[in-house]
Amino acid sequence: MNPYLALLMSFGLCALVATIMVCASWVLGPKNPTKTKLEIFETGNPPLGSLRGVRFPIKFYLTAILFVVFDIEVVFMYPWAVVFRQLGWAGLAEMAVFVAVLAVGLAYVWRVGALEWE
Amino acid sequence: MTLFWILAFLTVPAALTVVLHRNPVYSALALVFTLFQVAIMFVALEAYLIAFLQVIIYAGAILVLILFAIMLLSLEPEEPSPERSTMRAWGWGVAALLMLELGAVASMEHGASPAQAGPKDFGSVTSVATELFSTHLLPFELTSILLLVALVGAVVLARRRS
Amino acid sequence: MEVLFTFGKVVFAFLIVLQLTLILLWVERKGSALIQDRVGANRANIFGGVLPFNLGIVNTWMADPLKLFHKEDIVPEAADQFLHWFAPWIAILPLFVTFAVIPFGDVLVAGGYTINLQAAELDLGILYILAMLSLAVYGVVVGGWASNSRYSFLGGVRGTAQMISYEIPMGLALVSVVLTYGTIDFQQIARDQGELMFGILPAWGVFYQPIALVVLFIAGMAESKRVPFDLPEAESELVAGFYTEYSGSKQSVFMMADFVEVAIVAALVTTLFFGGWQVPYLYRDGFQFPGGFDIALPSLLVTVLQVASFLVKLFLFCWLQILVRWSLPRLRYDQLMELGWKRLLPLALINVAVTAVMVLLLDGRTIP
C-alpha cells in the first residue's frame, strides 16, 4: 500500500480536527464584543496604532539568511549519509570540501560578530 | 493523471494569488501553498526525495526569509497608481508572450511523452545520491561556493546599513 | 481491507498525540505544583459532587479543553481577519501529521495479515519530520503579524528566528544518526536497534550517538518554545508573545502546539536513541536472554508489550522535558542565539565528522 495515501489520510483527519479545534470557541463561546475588548492589548494604555512604519533590527533577517544557507548544507547531507558506506573515503573527502567552504563562511560570520546579539 | 488535474486546479489559483494579491504577506503565504502543491506533484512523479527537499528548502526556509523581508520592512498593501498601470500592461504583455512560447513548446513535444517509466529505483534517495556524488560532483561542490558568496554578501550589506 | 488497516493505524497514531497532549497538560499542572510545593489542580467533580470521589486526571483531560472551548473568541478589530484564524490552524496541522511516520510497534500478526505498526510506511521518515517542523514556523510568524500588535509581532519574529536557528543543529544531529544506521526510515532504524552489542547490551542509538542525543534534545526543546527557551512568549516582557491577542480555543491550539512539539521530540528521542518500541531481549517469538535463557510468548502479547514499551518511553521523555521546564530559568536572547549558533552547531558538525570517520574505520562492524 502506498505510504503517501496514508499520509493523505493523516492530513485529512488532522486538518478536520484542527479546524474543529480552531473554530470551537466561535461556535460554542459567548459573543458580546465591546469597544475595549476589540482593542489591541498594550498593557492597558491606548494602543499606538498599526504596525505601519515600525521597523525591526536587520539582525533577524541575517539570522534567516544564515538559516537558509546552513539548511541547504544539512539537506545535502541526508542523501550523502544514506549512501555513505558505498562512497567510502572519497565520499568523506567530497563532503569535507563542501562543509569546509561553508565552515569558512561560519568562521567569517563569527569573526565579524554577526552572531552577537547585544 | 486525475491527481495531476486536481493538483493543477489547486495550484494555479494559489500561484495567481501570489501575483495578484495586494497584500505581500498573503502573496508569500500563497507561494508557500503553491510550493507545497508542487512538492505533491513531485510525489506523484515518484521523485520523493526532491519532494521533501522542495518542502524543507523552498517552503520551509526561503519563504521564511521572504516573509521576514516583507515584515521587517513593514511593506503595506499596494495602492493602484498610474505608473503601476503602465507597468501592469507591460507585465500582461510579457506574460502573454511566455504563455505563447510555452504553448508552442508543449505542442511541439507532444509526440514524445515525458511520462516514460524511469529506472526501477528512480527518485529514491540512493539513486539520486549516487548520481549527485559522482556524475554531478562539480556542481555540488560549486553550490558551497555559491552559498558562501550569499552568506558573505548578506553580512557585508547588513553591516553597511547598521 | 488494507486501506482499513492503514486508516486504523493513522487514527491510532493521531490518538496517541491527542491524548498525550491532554495527559501532559495534567502532568504539567500537577507536576509543577509538586515541584513548587502547591496542591495544584485539585477538584474534579461532575454536577457538583454527585460522585463521591475526586476524578483527578479527568480534571484537565476533559474539563480544561471543554472550558477553553466555551470561552469567547475575540478577534481584535485591527487584526487581519483571515490570517488571525489561519495562524493557529497552520501552527498545529504540520505538527499533528508528524506522528504518522513514527513506528509504534513491530508487526501485528492477526487473521493471516501481518501489519507493520507504522501508519505511513515512509522510507524518508526523518526528512518528512524535518519538512513538517520547518512548516510549523508559519503559525508563529503569521500569528504574530496578523494580530497587528507590537507584543505579538516581536514575539512572532523572535520565535521564528529561534525556531529556524535550532533547526540546523537538530538537522545535523539527525544526519549523524542517519550516518550510523545508513537509512532514513524510522522503522528500519527501530528494527536495527533490536540487535545486541557485545552480546549483552541492546544496540540502542544512545550508545552510538550520545552527543547527537544531547544536541537533538536541547534543539528540540528550543523548537517547542517552552521554558528555558520561551523567549517568544516571555510573559514578563511580551505579555504572551505571539498569541497575546488570542483567546479561547485558538489560544489553546497554540498552547497545544507546544505540547505536540514536546511529544514529537520525545518520539524522536525514543525512536532514534532508545530503541523505539524495542523491549531489550524481546523478539518476535518471546524473550531470549543472553546466556541461553528463553521464554516463548504468543505474538499478540509481544506486540502489546512493544507498543506499551513505546508509549512508556514516549511518556518518560515528555516528563523529562516538563521536569527541565520547571527547573531552569529563561535564557537571555543573546545566550539563546549563542547556544544555537556557537555551541550546538559546531558541536553537531564535529559529531557528524567524527561519526563519518568512525563509520569508515569500523566499516561493517558498527552494527554488530
Side-chain angles (χ1 to χ4, degrees):
Chain A
M1 168 130 183
N2 193 336
Y4 293 90
L5 208 59
L7 279 192
L8 189 68
M9 286 182 197
S10 182
F11 265 89
L13 180 70
C14 297
L16 186 71
V17 174
T19 312
I20 292 171
M21 280 169 49
V22 168
C23 297
S25 270
W26 186 74
V27 176
L28 299 171
K31 288 183 199 69
N32 41 358
T34 61
K35 181 104 182 55
T36 341
K37 207 188 267 177
L38 293 183
E39 272 184 353
I40 298 293
F41 179 76
E42 288 186 5
T43 48
N45 295 320
L48 287 169
S50 85
L51 288 169
R52 182 189 291 263
V54 176
R55 296 203 169 190
F56 282 88
I58 198 154
K59 268 283 150 65
F60 289 107
Y61 185 71
L62 206 55
T63 311
I65 291 214
L66 277 175
F67 164 65
V68 170
V69 168
F70 284 98
D71 203 37
I72 294 171
E73 177 198 347
V74 170
V75 150
F76 268 126
M77 283 175 129
Y78 280 94
W80 170 76
V82 172
V83 293
F84 182 62
R85 283 181 172 77
Q86 285 98 290
L87 293 174
W89 290 102
L92 183 63
E94 285 167 20
M95 188 48 82
V97 173
F98 183 79
V99 172
V101 174
L102 284 174
V104 171
L106 182 66
Y108 168 76
V109 173
W110 197 322
R111 268 294 294 281
V112 299
L115 297 177
E116 312 292 336
W117 290 71
E118 57 287 311
Chain B
M1 212 56 196
T2 333
L3 182 64
F4 171 78
W5 284 111
I6 297 172
L7 283 171
F9 274 108
L10 287 169
T11 313
V12 171
L16 284 177
T17 313
V18 178
V19 189
L20 297 177
H21 208 285
R22 288 256 158 81
N23 190 333
V25 174
Y26 276 83
S27 289
L29 288 173
L31 189 51
V32 175
F33 193 60
T34 312
L35 292 168
F36 190 76
Q37 312 263 14
V38 174
I40 302 178
M41 278 197 196
F42 280 132
V43 169
L45 293 171
E46 299 184 356
Y48 302 121
L49 180 68
I50 306 298
F52 284 105
L53 301 196
Q54 167 92 1
V55 176
I56 294 176
I57 294 181
Y58 282 92
I62 290 174
L63 262 293
V64 171
L65 185 70
I66 290 176
L67 261 182
F68 261 39
I70 292 169
M71 290 180 178
L72 296 184
L73 296 172
S74 64
L75 292 181
E76 287 298 312
E78 288 178 0
E79 302 301 331
S81 65
E83 307 99 83
R84 292 247 178 248
S85 56
T86 23
M87 276 164 73
R88 179 167 300 173
W90 276 103
W92 282 114
V94 173
L97 213 64
L98 274 173
M99 282 306 285
L100 270 178
E101 196 184 340
L102 201 65
V105 172
S107 59
M108 263 177 358
E109 296 284 321
H110 202 67
S113 164
Q116 292 156 340
K120 195 164 171 293
D121 62 343
F122 172 80
S124 76
V125 187
T126 325
S127 65
V128 173
T130 321
E131 278 285 301
L132 181 64
F133 295 104
S134 54
T135 324
H136 305 290
L137 182 61
L138 188 65
F140 165 70
E141 300 289 1
L142 287 180
T143 313
S144 69
I145 310 273
L146 190 68
L147 291 173
L148 179 69
V149 172
L151 189 61
V152 174
V155 172
V156 168
L157 283 177
R159 280 168 59 79
R160 191 185 295 162
R161 290 285 159 82
S162 59
Chain C
M1 200 63 194
E2 221 181 337
V3 177
L4 220 62
F5 287 148
T6 310
F7 188 68
K9 287 191 291 185
V10 166
V11 172
F12 186 80
F14 185 46
L15 282 181
I16 294 181
V17 208
L18 219 52
Q19 297 306 314
L20 192 64
T21 48
L22 291 176
I23 292 169
L24 283 181
L25 189 61
W26 180 73
V27 172
E28 167 117 328
R29 292 181 67 184
K30 275 307 229 189
S32 65
L34 194 72
I35 290 170
Q36 295 173 345
D37 202 14
R38 300 182 276 118
V39 180
N42 64 347
R43 250 158 293 182
N45 282 320
I46 293 179
F47 305 126
V50 175
L51 295 176
F53 51 86
N54 194 333
L55 291 168
I57 190 167
V58 176
N59 195 359
T60 51
W61 189 54
M62 283 175 65
D64 265 18
L66 275 179
K67 185 196 76 177
L68 283 164
F69 287 173
H70 280 86
K71 293 290 173 194
E72 184 176 357
D73 182 55
I74 302 167
V75 183
E77 261 175 330
D80 187 304
Q81 299 296 320
F82 172 68
L83 290 185
H84 195 268
W85 285 90
F86 180 68
W89 190 80
I90 199 68
I92 196 98
L93 179 64
L95 298 177
F96 269 165
V97 294
T98 48
F99 260 73
V101 293
I102 303 281
F104 49 85
D106 188 7
V107 287
L108 176 65
V109 185
Y113 290 98
T114 305
I115 306 164
N116 193 0
L117 291 181
Q118 183 188 19
E121 293 155 30
L122 210 60
D123 52 357
L124 294 164
I126 293 181
L127 280 174
Y128 173 73
I129 293 244
L130 274 183
M132 290 305 126
L133 283 180
S134 68
L135 288 182
V137 171
Y138 290 106
V140 177
V141 64
V142 173
W145 187 83
S147 302
N148 206 0
S149 143
R150 282 163 175 73
Y151 291 123
S152 298
F153 186 47
L154 190 53
V157 172
R158 266 191 189 185
T160 316
Q162 168 181 340
M163 285 168 89
I164 60 179
S165 297
Y166 280 85
E167 245 168 60
I168 306 290
M170 193 177 200
L172 283 171
L174 293 173
V175 165
S176 47
V177 175
V178 175
L179 268 177
T180 316
Y181 293 102
T183 175
I184 4 185
D185 183 351
F186 277 114
Q187 187 66 294
Q188 191 57 48
I189 292 176
R191 292 212 169 109
D192 282 348
Q193 292 179 78
E195 312 195 354
L196 294 180
M197 276 163 95
F198 315 116
I200 179 139
L201 206 58
W204 287 358
V206 59
F207 301 115
Y208 296 117
Q209 290 290 345
I211 294 173
L213 170 64
V214 172
V215 173
L216 181 78
F217 196 71
I218 296 175
M221 285 202 68
E223 288 269 308
S224 70
K225 307 182 291 298
R226 284 155 55 79
V227 184
F229 301 103
D230 71 334
L231 285 297
E233 49 208 72
E235 58 275 88
S236 51
E237 320 158 21
L238 294 179
V239 191
F242 58 93
Y243 55 75
T244 306
E245 301 297 340
Y246 280 89
S247 67
S249 60
K250 286 198 247 169
Q251 190 244 6
S252 65
V253 164
F254 274 124
M255 288 177 65
M256 189 172 186
D258 289 0
F259 276 113
V260 178
E261 287 211 34
V262 167
I264 292 171
V265 174
L268 281 177
V269 167
T270 305
T271 311
L272 301 176
F273 298 99
F274 289 90
W277 39 263
Q278 299 277 0
V279 181
Y281 316 122
L282 181 65
Y283 300 92
R284 282 189 192 178
D285 44 0
F287 280 106
Q288 287 171 19
F289 294 105
F293 182 62
D294 294 357
I295 305 172
L297 290 175
S299 105
L300 192 64
L301 185 61
V302 170
T303 307
V304 170
L305 274 177
Q306 285 171 339
V307 174
S309 148
F310 173 74
L311 293 178
V312 167
K313 287 179 199 168
L314 188 66
F315 183 74
L316 212 66
F317 288 106
C318 289
W319 174 77
L320 188 62
Q321 287 178 75
I322 288 178
L323 205 64
V324 173
R325 184 242 179 278
W326 289 99
S327 308
L328 295 178
R330 182 184 309 141
L331 295 174
R332 243 179 17 233
Y333 206 76
D334 60 326
Q335 292 171 329
L336 176 89
M337 285 300 177
E338 193 174 296
L339 179 66
W341 289 103
K342 294 189 180 176
R343 301 282 177 276
L344 291 184
L345 175 61
L347 184 65
L349 261 180
I350 292 167
N351 189 41
V352 169
V354 171
T355 309
V357 172
M358 290 302 280
V359 164
L360 286 181
L361 287 180
L362 303 168
D363 196 18
R365 276 176 288 153
T366 38
I367 308 289

